[in-house]
Amino acid sequence: MPRERQREKNECIDRIVKDLKRIRPQAEGDRLYALDENVRFFEASRTWSSYVAWILFEMPNVDGTRLLELSDFDIPEWQTMLQKELMEIEQQKYPDILAQLRGELVKEVLAASSRLTRHLVLLGIGAGSMEVERQLVNELRHLKNTRPILFVIVDNSQASLDAGFKNIGRSGVHCIQRDGIGTSEIVSLRDGLSPGSYSVLGIRSDALALPKLFSGRPFDIAYYSKFKHHLPDALKNSFVGMVKKLSPCIVEGDDYRGFYLPFFSTITAWYKPVLLNGAVFSSLRDPTPSALRKNLEPDWKLSFRPAGGYVLTYHEPDPR
């Protein structure tokens, strides 16, 4: 069995490297740097000896601020595979890696439900497999929440949206996709929800283009998980400022950078090169706990989970 899995892994790496080399002539600057680092990573991950050498001698020199993960190169096959493999991990009962983010979102939804009399609209930036949304819906149903909720999910990858629709549809959530929709349409869909219902509206768009789509503040809560580290450092602050203009409450979840994550990921994803790449390269882009504490701004709350994750929650200050 190990030999068969190793053979399948190497065949997968062959196809990945071929795809990366195919798009290399069009790459330049940081994208070219990231592409070459990906090729070196995948070639090294073929055997334990070459991978350990990469971790010890090459990984310390990788510039995380210039890095991209395989999924960032917009190759549908690998984006779809990553979403499938991530979903399998996120659905595990132990470790429950979504527990902290899910708990924070449940708390914010219940608070908004007690504060507002109308239906709720949540903005999810970056669809992933929509496992966060699926678990949130199941938890709210368990808590007998009757407030209808419209999830507006924005992602620039159709492969991610399709995977998410399929996953959350298993929980009986109605899904539609309407690209280019605006604030008035959001309000209309929100007000048309039936009691106790949950619906997902998918929009294929660049997250940074949200101000062009929506005016005012149509969202009660905005959230994103494992998303912000994909942005260049120069865009991170402007992205958060943009989201603040769309919602009075923001919940951000991600991993923090620790020495253990590349090693833990190696154990759990050795025969899954796409998942291994996503785990290791994202860890090189994640903030450290000390950086999170140092950069914590007023009106934000920071909490950590022992397994290596954090949640940041923002509430717009009371004008009084």
Side-chain angles (χ1 to χ4, degrees):
M1 178 64 74
R3 287 186 177 181
E4 178 66 18
R5 297 184 71 186
Q6 184 64 43
R7 181 185 64 79
E8 292 174 352
K9 172 187 173 180
N10 285 336
E11 289 177 353
C12 182
I13 290 175
D14 288 341
R15 301 203 316 273
I16 291 169
V17 171
K18 182 178 179 180
D19 281 345
L20 292 174
K21 290 183 176 180
R22 173 176 54 81
I23 64 176
R24 191 179 188 278
Q26 291 78 46
E28 57 184 21
D30 287 349
R31 188 174 179 86
L32 178 60
Y33 170 84
L35 194 151
D36 288 342
E37 290 295 344
N38 271 266
V39 170
R40 277 190 281 271
F41 169 85
F42 283 111
E43 293 291 8
S45 66
R46 291 181 184 274
T47 67
W48 278 106
S49 58
S50 59
Y51 184 70
V52 170
W54 181 86
I55 287 181
L56 293 177
F57 303 113
E58 295 193 46
M59 188 177 76
N61 299 317
V62 175
D63 185 350
T65 65
R66 304 177 65 193
L67 207 53
L68 295 172
E69 298 154 40
L70 176 63
S71 61
D72 294 319
F73 290 104
D74 300 324
I75 304 173
E77 178 181 2
W78 309 124
Q79 289 179 327
T80 300
M81 181 177 290
L82 178 64
Q83 297 306 333
K84 177 179 179 294
E85 294 176 344
L86 273 176
M87 183 176 66
E88 292 172 354
I89 293 176
E90 292 172 343
Q91 290 178 347
Q92 294 175 359
K93 297 296 183 182
Y94 184 81
D96 186 355
I97 62 174
L98 295 180
Q100 185 186 27
L101 176 63
R102 184 180 67 245
E104 189 70 12
L105 286 171
V106 167
K107 184 177 72 174
E108 294 301 335
V109 166
L110 295 179
S113 295
S114 65
R115 186 175 66 251
L116 302 170
T117 57
R118 56 170 172 74
H119 304 342
L120 302 182
V121 184
L122 274 60
L123 171 65
I125 302 174
S129 63
M130 297 191 201
E131 182 61 21
V132 172
E133 291 78 8
R134 192 186 71 85
Q135 292 188 21
L136 178 57
V137 166
N138 289 344
E139 182 73 13
L140 291 170
R141 284 172 172 165
H142 177 73
L143 295 172
K144 309 299 183 185
N145 174 71
T146 58
R147 185 63 58 87
I149 297 176
L150 173 65
F151 293 90
V152 179
I153 308 296
V154 178
D155 199 292
N156 65 356
S157 167
Q158 189 62 48
S160 292
L161 287 171
D162 290 342
F165 290 150
K166 181 178 180 180
N167 183 40
I168 199 168
R170 297 189 298 112
S171 291
V173 175
H174 175 65
C175 301
I176 59 173
Q177 180 171 348
R178 294 184 185 174
D179 301 337
I181 199 169
T183 297
S184 60
E185 292 90 346
I186 295 291
V187 172
S188 178
L189 287 170
R190 177 198 71 190
D191 293 343
L193 294 174
S194 57
S197 66
Y198 300 89
S199 290
V200 167
L201 167 66
I203 301 174
R204 185 178 181 185
S205 174
D206 187 334
L208 297 177
L210 287 173
K212 298 178 181 178
L213 294 175
F214 306 115
S215 58
R217 307 182 89 183
F219 306 107
D220 303 299
I221 302 168
Y223 62 95
Y224 41 91
S225 174
K226 302 183 186 299
F227 175 81
K228 199 173 76 173
H229 74 254
H230 288 271
L231 299 175
D233 285 348
L235 291 178
K236 286 184 171 70
N237 289 335
S238 60
F239 166 75
V240 174
M242 175 198 74
V243 180
K244 284 182 179 180
K245 295 178 181 179
L246 297 171
S247 174
C249 174
I250 304 172
V251 179
E252 172 186 324
D254 210 329
D255 296 321
Y256 57 79
R257 183 169 183 174
F259 72 91
Y260 66 90
L261 191 56
F263 300 96
F264 177 76
S265 302
T266 301
I267 296 172
T268 59
W270 176 246
Y271 291 109
K272 298 179 178 180
V274 177
L275 183 63
L276 182 63
N277 171 265
V280 173
F281 273 33
S282 65
S283 74
L284 297 176
R285 306 165 79 185
D286 288 331
T288 63
S290 59
L292 287 164
R293 294 188 184 97
K294 179 181 178 181
N295 297 322
L296 187 64
E297 298 181 353
D299 307 314
W300 287 84
K301 180 189 73 174
L302 172 65
S303 59
F304 294 100
R305 62 176 168 84
Y310 73 88
V311 167
L312 277 167
T313 307
Y314 166 82
H315 288 107
E316 183 179 56
D318 191 327
R320 294 176 298 179

